[in-house]
Amino acid sequence: MGIEIEDKFDVPVDYRLPDLTGLPGSTGVVGPKTHQLVALYFDTPDLRLAARGITLRRRRGGTDPGWHLKLPKAKGVRQEITHPLTRSAKIVPVELADLVLAYTRGAPLAPIAELDTRRSVTTLVNGAGVGLVEIADDRVKGTVLGDEPHVERWREVEAELLQGEEKLLKKVGKRLGKAGAVPADSASKLARLLGGAGAVSEHPRAETAPGSAGEVVLGYLTSQVGVLLAQDPRVRKAEEDAVHQMRVAARRLRSALKSFKAVVEGTDDLRKELKWLGAVLGEARDLEVIRERFARRLDSLDDALIVGPVRARLSSDLLDDEHEALDRIRDLMGGERYFALLDALDDLTGTPVLTKAAQKPAETLEVVAAKSWRRVTRIYDTAQAVEDESEREIAMHDVRKAAKQARYTAEVIGMKKLAKWAEDVQEVLGSHMDGVVAQERLAAEAGNARLVGEDTFTYGVLTGVERAAAARAWEEFPRIWEETRAAVAKIL
């Protein structure tokens, strides 16, 4: 998976590419070189990929023939996944078809358009001849396939950053603009072709009044749905931190739906399904966290304190468990329950059930944030009233969860200070909990090691380290709590 950073421009048919020499950071210009590219694009019959700004193609010709999947990431930046050319020109490789399941929901993929492009490539290079920015001048013939093919012809220019700083790309864009190029109306050639044929529209989004509570809440929900969908292919590829990011998006959605149920109604079932997804992702994420934690702890110990195959048991064995958990996640993410959840999220952003409260000014949402923080203090007071120390410690876990809820609620409405203070409470209690969980895992792993005759000395050392870490967090909490409560009282 690579990242494309590029700018696209619409140009007239008689456009003349300007002189690109002398730009700061570039020492020369190579080209132009001409290529003939033929790309066959795939989508579902109802163009679900195109509606999300996703392109999946099989391209022949040029310097990078093969299958290309482009997923939107941010303005001007796209994730590109490549796959070698396959013998079949009309069957999408399973590896790529799986990566768009969050959008196709199992619907079949078939050819929907063809683009025939005559490309003239000019490259800005540095003193070592390494390419920095590639400028592609494309003359395109596009055909929407079907019973009555629709054909269009146009010309466009793309400037893509190959390496180096983005400021060179911006300077190239300015020079192209002075020669008559204008920012492209469409994010891709396929979007332009399908839009011209009236074949596709963007994924629907509900309309809300500017400055209203509904606009703020729905805007946040839509952004988190986007994060969740963007992480889907990364989770399927087991990329670093992908499971964590997807799990956080699910938690934030669930939290917002709970906090703002007076603004968006009828989401009880969706919240349950988001909880299910969080649990599905949680096993692999927890294994990843504990494995990385133990690796750091072992790295901090003197070699003399590491006795026996403890690294293998706390590293490779846990990694094997993590991979098995990831396999279970991928299986569930190919099932009907997951697809139904994604359909429900589409309904949430496209046709939400908004209440009268959604029409009120956004400032009215601050009441929800205050209520969420009062819940934290109420749960804290209840926990402190528990006489048994071990039971009180368990009750404090509810304070941590309530603080996380307050943090997410504050984030929705942009109350950054409140969000940060709530996060401080969440983090210190989380550190304590992490230490406790680590001790429990170490006890289990030491038991397994003992059964096969391995030395368990190092497990005892690590348990002492984790016990001390948990104790420090527990001792630090009263100070952080008092400071946070005083600070919050000044703004609520």
Side-chain angles (χ1 to χ4, degrees):
M1 182 179 288
I3 299 295
E4 278 190 342
I5 302 177
E6 63 180 18
D7 292 325
K8 295 173 66 67
F9 301 90
D10 291 331
V11 298
V13 175
D14 59 351
Y15 181 76
R16 291 176 62 87
L17 201 68
D19 180 11
L20 295 171
T21 60
L23 289 173
S26 167
T27 60
V29 178
V30 176
K33 295 181 180 180
T34 302
H35 307 280
Q36 195 69 31
L37 313 174
V38 180
L40 189 62
Y41 286 79
F42 292 74
D43 206 332
T44 62
D46 54 356
L47 304 180
R48 298 180 186 183
L49 300 185
R52 301 279 190 172
I54 298 167
T55 58
L56 174 58
R57 73 186 179 208
R58 181 185 190 272
R59 189 167 73 183
R60 294 179 286 110
T63 58
D64 61 343
W67 290 88
H68 303 91
L69 170 62
K70 295 188 178 183
L71 302 165
K73 186 176 178 66
K75 185 177 180 181
V77 180
R78 286 159 66 84
Q79 299 178 71
E80 181 176 18
I81 302 157
T82 60
H83 189 281
L85 279 175
T86 53
R87 182 173 299 178
S88 174
K90 294 189 177 181
I91 299 178
V92 177
V94 174
E95 296 88 342
L96 297 183
D98 284 349
L99 295 182
V100 294
L101 275 173
Y103 305 96
T104 64
R105 318 276 160 87
L109 292 164
I112 51 99
E114 183 177 79
L115 289 174
D116 193 335
T117 304
R118 184 176 181 273
R119 169 166 290 182
S120 179
V121 178
T122 301
T123 307
L124 303 187
V125 298
N126 61 17
V130 176
L132 303 175
V133 175
E134 181 179 275
I135 299 92
D137 183 359
D138 293 342
R139 298 175 185 269
V140 187
K141 174 188 175 184
T143 305
V144 178
L145 304 176
D147 295 335
E148 298 181 5
H150 171 85
V151 179
E152 285 194 28
R153 298 177 185 271
W154 71 91
R155 187 177 175 192
E156 66 180 43
V157 172
E158 296 179 1
E160 180 180 354
L161 184 68
L162 302 179
Q163 72 173 47
E165 299 182 7
E166 289 188 41
K167 62 182 180 181
L168 177 57
L169 183 65
K170 293 180 180 179
K171 291 182 182 298
V172 170
K174 287 183 179 180
R175 193 163 291 189
L176 294 173
K178 288 182 179 179
V182 296
D185 286 335
S186 300
S188 68
K189 291 180 177 65
L190 180 65
R192 173 170 180 160
L193 175 62
L194 295 177
V200 67
S201 58
E202 292 185 0
H203 186 73
R205 291 286 183 266
E207 294 185 4
T208 50
S212 66
E215 180 187 45
V216 171
V217 173
L218 196 59
Y220 180 85
L221 293 171
T222 300
S223 70
Q224 292 305 311
V225 171
V227 171
L228 190 148
L229 287 172
Q231 295 304 320
D232 179 285
R234 298 189 64 241
V235 170
R236 295 177 191 275
K237 288 171 67 68
E239 291 196 358
E240 184 179 0
D241 205 40
V243 170
H244 173 56
Q245 293 299 328
M246 190 178 203
R247 188 187 187 193
V248 169
R251 283 177 166 177
R252 283 187 163 132
L253 282 165
R254 183 168 160 242
S255 173
L257 291 174
K258 180 180 179 181
S259 292
F260 300 101
K261 58 186 178 182
V263 176
V264 184
E265 288 183 329
T267 64
D268 289 350
D269 289 342
L270 178 54
R271 282 163 47 199
K272 291 177 183 177
E273 291 305 283
L274 286 168
K275 182 178 181 179
W276 164 77
L277 178 60
V280 167
L281 298 168
E283 183 183 3
R285 173 56 182 168
D286 292 344
L287 284 165
E288 178 186 31
V289 168
I290 201 73
R291 175 176 55 82
E292 293 177 350
R293 184 184 184 94
F294 289 156
R296 290 193 301 271
R297 295 299 194 208
L298 286 168
D299 287 344
S300 69
L301 295 180
D302 291 336
D303 291 342
L305 296 177
I306 302 176
V307 182
V310 62
R311 281 190 184 275
R313 185 171 293 281
L314 296 183
S315 177
S316 58
D317 286 2
L318 287 176
L319 187 60
D320 289 342
D321 291 345
E322 186 181 334
H323 287 161
E324 291 177 4
L326 285 169
D327 287 340
R328 287 190 288 274
I329 289 172
R330 282 188 283 262
D331 287 343
L332 291 170
M333 287 172 63
E336 291 302 320
R337 184 174 183 179
Y338 179 64
F339 293 159
L341 167 59
L342 297 181
D343 287 342
L345 291 175
D346 285 347
D347 292 341
L348 175 68
T349 59
T351 56
V353 181
L354 298 176
T355 68
K356 291 182 179 180
Q359 302 172 16
K360 296 181 179 180
E363 291 77 11
T364 59
L365 295 174
E366 293 183 6
V367 174
V368 181
K371 180 180 178 181
S372 185
W373 177 255
R374 286 197 299 271
R375 179 171 175 267
V376 179
T377 60
R378 186 170 63 252
I379 293 175
Y380 169 81
D381 291 339
T382 299
Q384 291 301 302
V386 176
E387 294 185 3
D388 184 83
E389 185 175 350
S390 59
E391 291 183 5
R392 188 188 318 127
E393 189 173 318
I394 294 172
M396 288 298 289
H397 294 330
D398 291 334
V399 178
R400 178 186 59 81
K401 290 187 287 186
K404 182 186 294 185
Q405 174 83 19
R407 168 193 168 192
Y408 289 161
T409 301
E411 286 177 350
V412 173
I413 57 182
M415 297 183 70
K416 295 181 180 179
K417 289 184 178 180
L418 178 57
K420 179 62 173 64
W421 292 325
E423 184 179 12
D424 289 343
V425 172
Q426 172 199 334
E427 288 293 328
V428 69
L429 289 176
S431 294
H432 173 260
M433 183 178 181
D434 290 344
V436 171
V437 171
Q439 291 174 63
E440 293 173 351
R441 184 75 193 213
L442 285 167
E445 294 296 336
N448 293 334
R450 192 177 297 110
L451 288 174
V452 294
E454 294 174 6
D455 194 307
T456 60
F457 170 76
T458 304
Y459 296 96
V461 174
L462 290 173
T463 298
V465 171
E466 294 294 355
R467 183 176 293 119
R472 283 195 301 271
W474 193 250
E475 292 167 1
E476 186 181 14
F477 175 76
R479 176 185 61 81
I480 290 179
W481 174 254
E482 292 303 323
E483 291 177 355
T484 300
R485 189 162 60 176
V488 173
K490 294 179 180 178
I491 65 171
L492 293 182

